[in-house]
Amino acid sequence: MAEPVYETALGASTKDKITLLGHDLAEDVMGTVGFGELAFWLATQRRPAKGETRVFEAVLAALADHGFTPTAIVTRLTYLSAPDSVQGALAAGLLGGGSRFLGVTEDCGRFLHDVLSEVDTRPAGAGEWDALALETVEKRRAEKKFVPGLGHHVHKDGDPRTPRLFAIADEEGLRGPHLELFAAIGRVHPRVLGKTLPLNGAGVCGAALADLGLPLELLRGFALLARTAGLIGQLAEELRHPVANDIFLSVDLNNRSVPPDPHA
């Protein structure tokens, strides 16, 4: 009986050679291909153009670290509890990438894609994009749902990452329909909501990744890829200037016992 064959265009090894994406890893990739370019290449199995690499790496930079977020805190605390398990500390932080932190990148990309998939003809010009965006925001409000990528708990007057990523996409000629719709949502939502909210960095990153044609199912994965670098940085700083024990003791020494509050 013949042995099964498992085909892959990714990494494969022989006794004296490693092949990756059809290239010799040691000779053609190492020292030649940057990590961001390689990550894009691995996900799409096509080598990105220079402009695509620039936009993609700008997204990774935007999502790498954003201060003492829950993902950073849990990574530091897990390392405090298990300093023998760097992988556990990193995994703990990554597991916190969900609908409130990091996951917005995927949620926004998917949301914009779903709206665009229902449009027979793509809008032409700012006026038509605004009309589509207005209809979209009104529908979300009627459904009592949030618009993914709209609002930020810190950057209430504007997320500095957002205009920069728009500018980079414009410079590279890669401002596609997802970014166009996202920008239009930023312009028209005050008419519906009665207040102005910022387009946040995680959302614009999702729009940019969708415009690059990256798989929607993997958009959160790219956010986690970026945040892995940030969490390594958090651990490196924790080694030099530890704060996790102070965070732990702040909670532990300031708790207050209260009567049980059972649910009916």
Side-chain angles (χ1 to χ4, degrees):
M1 183 176 179
E3 290 290 329
V5 176
Y6 301 97
E7 296 182 345
T8 178
L10 303 177
S13 302
T14 63
K15 183 179 179 180
D16 57 0
K17 186 177 182 179
I18 304 173
T19 301
L20 182 64
L21 295 162
H23 293 263
D24 186 299
L25 174 65
E27 297 297 327
D28 302 330
V29 179
M30 294 172 61
T32 301
V33 180
F35 183 70
E37 179 183 359
L38 181 61
F40 187 109
W41 197 355
L42 287 166
T44 62
Q45 297 197 13
R46 68 173 182 84
R47 192 164 186 173
K50 186 176 180 180
E52 290 176 315
T53 299
R54 183 175 180 229
V55 172
F56 182 68
E57 291 185 344
V59 167
L60 297 182
L63 298 174
D65 188 79
H66 204 262
F68 283 114
T69 60
T71 60
I73 293 170
V74 74
T75 290
R76 289 188 183 232
L77 289 174
T78 302
Y79 186 75
L80 172 68
S81 181
D84 53 320
S85 180
V86 170
Q87 70 274 23
L90 292 173
L94 294 177
L95 287 171
S99 58
R100 293 186 179 178
F101 291 89
L102 293 177
V104 177
T105 297
E106 178 180 324
D107 296 342
C108 188
R110 283 179 174 271
F111 166 69
L112 296 170
H113 181 80
D114 288 345
V115 172
L116 292 168
S117 67
E118 296 177 0
V119 176
D120 294 329
T121 304
R122 289 282 166 84
E128 292 186 11
W129 280 112
D130 285 0
L132 175 60
L134 189 62
E135 178 185 341
T136 299
V137 178
E138 288 175 339
K139 180 179 179 182
R140 293 292 285 191
R141 185 171 190 183
E143 295 171 345
K144 297 183 178 180
K145 294 179 180 179
F146 292 111
V147 176
L150 195 57
H152 197 281
H153 69 289
V154 175
H155 305 302
K156 297 185 181 299
D157 296 325
D159 190 321
R161 298 170 294 179
T162 300
R164 179 58 178 152
L165 192 51
F166 270 113
I168 292 171
D170 285 338
E171 289 166 8
E172 301 299 337
L174 292 171
R175 180 164 173 161
H178 299 86
L179 282 170
E180 289 286 8
L181 178 57
F182 195 53
I185 288 172
R187 293 191 295 268
V188 307
H189 75 270
R191 301 186 214 169
V192 181
L193 304 183
K195 58 183 177 181
T196 300
L197 298 172
L199 297 176
N200 62 53
V204 75
C205 285
L209 292 175
D211 274 346
L212 289 175
L214 292 162
L216 297 175
E217 299 84 356
L218 299 181
L219 297 191
R220 187 172 302 187
F222 297 119
L224 296 175
L225 172 65
R227 186 52 55 91
T228 298
L231 295 180
I232 291 172
Q234 291 284 337
L235 289 178
E237 186 174 77
E238 182 67 20
L239 289 171
R240 298 191 303 273
H241 305 290
V243 299
N245 196 55
D246 292 338
I247 295 172
F248 156 59
L249 291 176
S250 177
V251 177
D252 190 52
L253 298 179
N254 291 287
N255 68 74
R256 178 171 61 90
S257 180
V258 297
D261 182 22
H263 293 287

